[in-house]
C-alpha cells in the first residue's frame, strides 16, 4: 500500500514486549518501568494474524523488537510462525545481545534471517555504566554466536551523542569491520521533544522515504515513531487498524508524548 505521500509501505516493526534485561540510560529509568499488564499484551496468534494481513497489503519486511525480544517467553515459536507467512521475505530482530548466545541456533533454525545487536562502546566499564547492569562479555558471546549460525548480515547498532566520529563509535566501527559486521550509528533521540536524526548506515530518521509502520506489544499500530497516533488492533480489527495507520501516516515526525522507546521498539 501507498500512503498519501506516495511512500510505499513495506516494513513492519513488531514490539513483542516492553520488558528488558538492561536499563540503558537513554532508554529506561534506573528503577525500571511499570510494565504493560499481561492481559493487554498481544498473543502470538494476534501478532501473526496482523502480520498476515499486513503481508497481503504489501508488507514484506518484518523486524522483531522490544523492549528486549529475547525475554518474551516462546519467542522462537513466534519467529517460526512469522517465517511461514507468505510474502514475508525479510525477517530480522533487534536485540541487546545479552541472551543471544543461548538463542542464536534455535532462532536461525526457526527462520530468522538476520540480527541487529546493540553495542555503544567496547569499554567494559562504560558498557556497565550505560546499561547499568550489563556485561559486555555476554554481548560479545552473542555476536560470535550470531556469526557462527550464519545470520547475514550481523549489524551493530551504536547510539551516539552526535556522530560516528566519537571515540567509542570509532572503536565500535573498527571492531565491526575487523569481524565482518556492519556498523550503524544512531543519533540519540528524544521522543517528547521531537529530536531525531538519520541513522548513519541506515534509512531510519529519513522521513521522505519512510516505509515503515509499528505494532506495539499492546496492539497499537503506529504510523510513525514520532507521533502520538496509534490504532488499536483489538478495538478496530487488524485490517482496519493497518489501513488507518497508513492512511494517517504523517509527512514527517513531530513529537511522541504517549510512548517510549522501550514500548514502541525504536
Amino acid at each position: 500500500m501507498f500512503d498519501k505521500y506516495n511512500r510505499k509501505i513495506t516494513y513492519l516493526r513488531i514490539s513483542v514486549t516492553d520488558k528488558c534485561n538492561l536499563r540503558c540510560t537513554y532508554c529506561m529509568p534506573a528503577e525500571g518501568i511499570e510494565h504493560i499488564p499481561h492481559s493487554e499484551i498481544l498473543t502470538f496468534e494476534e501478532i501473526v494474524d496482523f502480520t498476515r494481513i499486513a503481508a497481503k497489503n504489501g508488507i514484506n519486511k518484518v523486524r522483531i523488537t522490544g523492549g528486549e525480544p529475547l525475554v518474551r517467553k516462546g519467542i522462537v515459536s513466534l519467529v517460526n510462525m512469522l517465517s511461514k507467512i507468505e510474502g514475508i521475505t525479510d525477517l530480522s530482530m533487534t536485540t541487546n545481545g545479552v541472551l543471544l548466545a543461548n538463542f542464536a541456533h534455535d532462532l536461525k533454525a526457526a527462520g530468522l534471517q538476520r540480527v541487529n545487536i546493540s553495542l555503544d562502546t567496547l569499554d567494559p566499564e562504560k558498557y556497565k555504566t550505560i546499561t547499568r547492569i550489563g556485561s559486555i562479555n555476554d554481548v560479545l558471546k552473542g555476536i560470535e554466536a550470531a556469526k557462527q549460525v550464519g545470520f547475514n548480515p550481523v549489524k551493530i547498532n551504536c547510539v551516539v551523542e552526535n556522530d560516528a566520529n566519537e571515540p567509542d563509535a570509532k572503536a565500535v566501527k573498527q571492531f565491526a569491520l575487523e569481524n565482518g559486521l556492519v556498523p550503524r550509528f544512531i543519533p540519540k533521540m528524544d521522543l517528547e521533544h521531537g529530536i531525531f536524526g538519520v541513522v548513519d548506515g541506515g534509512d531510519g530518521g529519513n522521513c521522505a522515504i519512510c516505509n515503515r509502520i509499528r505494532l506495539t506489544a499492546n496492539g497499537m499500530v503506529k504510523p510513525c515513531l514520532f507521533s502520538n497516533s496509534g490504532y488499536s488492533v483489538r478495538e478496530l480489527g487488524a485490517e482496519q487498524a493497518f489501513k488507518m495507520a497508513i492512511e494517517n501516516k504523517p509527512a514527517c515526525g513531530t513529537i511522541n508524548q504517549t510512548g517510549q522507546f522501550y514500548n514502541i521498539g525504536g
Side-chain angles (χ1 to χ4, degrees):
M1 288 182 68
F2 288 84
D3 69 5
K4 59 187 175 184
Y5 301 101
N6 205 37
R7 294 172 298 197
K8 189 176 182 180
I9 310 304
T10 59
Y11 182 10
L12 171 63
R13 296 174 66 96
I14 303 172
S15 171
V16 296
T17 182
D18 61 339
K19 295 179 180 178
C20 188
N21 49 354
L22 298 179
R23 296 288 182 271
C24 294
T25 54
Y26 51 76
C27 184
M28 193 178 291
E31 66 275 14
I33 60 168
E34 183 177 346
H35 294 296
I36 300 170
H38 180 73
S39 61
E40 295 181 17
I41 298 291
L42 291 184
T43 65
F44 287 172
E45 289 74 18
E46 288 175 307
I47 292 172
V48 171
D49 286 346
F50 178 84
T51 306
R52 189 174 288 115
I53 287 170
K56 289 179 180 178
N57 285 277
I59 295 293
N60 57 33
K61 176 179 178 180
V62 171
R63 176 173 295 277
I64 302 168
T65 70
E68 168 50 43
L70 294 182
V71 304
R72 174 83 188 251
K73 186 177 180 179
I75 189 65
V76 174
S77 295
L78 177 62
V79 168
N80 183 252
M81 288 187 278
L82 292 173
S83 73
K84 294 177 179 177
I85 295 176
E86 185 177 353
I88 301 301
T89 59
D90 186 340
L91 181 59
S92 61
M93 177 182 289
T94 295
T95 171
N96 61 33
V98 170
L99 299 174
L100 188 56
N102 299 327
F103 281 91
H105 178 272
D106 290 345
L107 288 169
K108 187 69 167 63
L112 194 71
Q113 296 167 319
R114 56 195 185 88
V115 291
N116 285 35
I117 302 169
S118 300
L119 183 64
D120 301 330
T121 180
L122 285 172
D123 183 312
E125 290 304 314
K126 279 190 178 180
Y127 182 84
K128 184 68 175 288
T129 299
I130 292 169
T131 63
R132 294 191 177 102
I133 54 177
S135 168
I136 196 171
N137 289 331
D138 293 332
V139 184
L140 297 178
K141 290 176 184 176
I143 291 171
E144 184 58 30
K147 291 170 58 181
Q148 289 298 322
V149 302
F151 286 127
N152 185 37
V154 176
K155 295 185 179 182
I156 302 298
N157 287 357
C158 179
V159 173
V160 295
E161 289 287 345
N162 297 298
D163 57 48
N165 293 314
E166 297 162 13
D168 283 316
K170 285 184 175 180
V172 169
K173 182 176 182 178
Q174 182 177 350
F175 168 79
L177 297 180
E178 288 176 351
N179 287 276
L181 314 169
V182 180
R184 302 166 74 250
F185 302 96
I186 304 170
K188 195 171 287 186
M189 303 184 190
D190 186 324
L191 290 174
E192 186 176 357
H193 296 96
I195 299 171
F196 61 93
V198 177
V199 174
D200 183 347
D203 296 326
N206 188 346
C207 298
I209 61 170
C210 184
N211 65 341
R212 65 192 68 183
I213 59 170
R214 291 169 167 80
L215 177 65
T216 67
N218 62 343
M220 299 301 292
V221 188
K222 295 192 66 65
C224 174
L225 177 61
F226 280 82
S227 168
N228 290 323
S229 297
Y231 304 92
S232 172
V233 168
R234 285 180 171 171
E235 291 179 9
L236 298 168
E239 189 154 7
Q240 182 68 7
F242 176 83
K243 290 182 177 179
M244 288 184 70
I246 293 181
E247 289 171 0
N248 292 286
K249 187 170 173 63
C252 190
T254 51
I255 60 172
N256 184 345
Q257 297 171 313
T258 63
Q260 300 293 336
F261 288 115
Y262 56 75
N263 59 25
I264 303 176

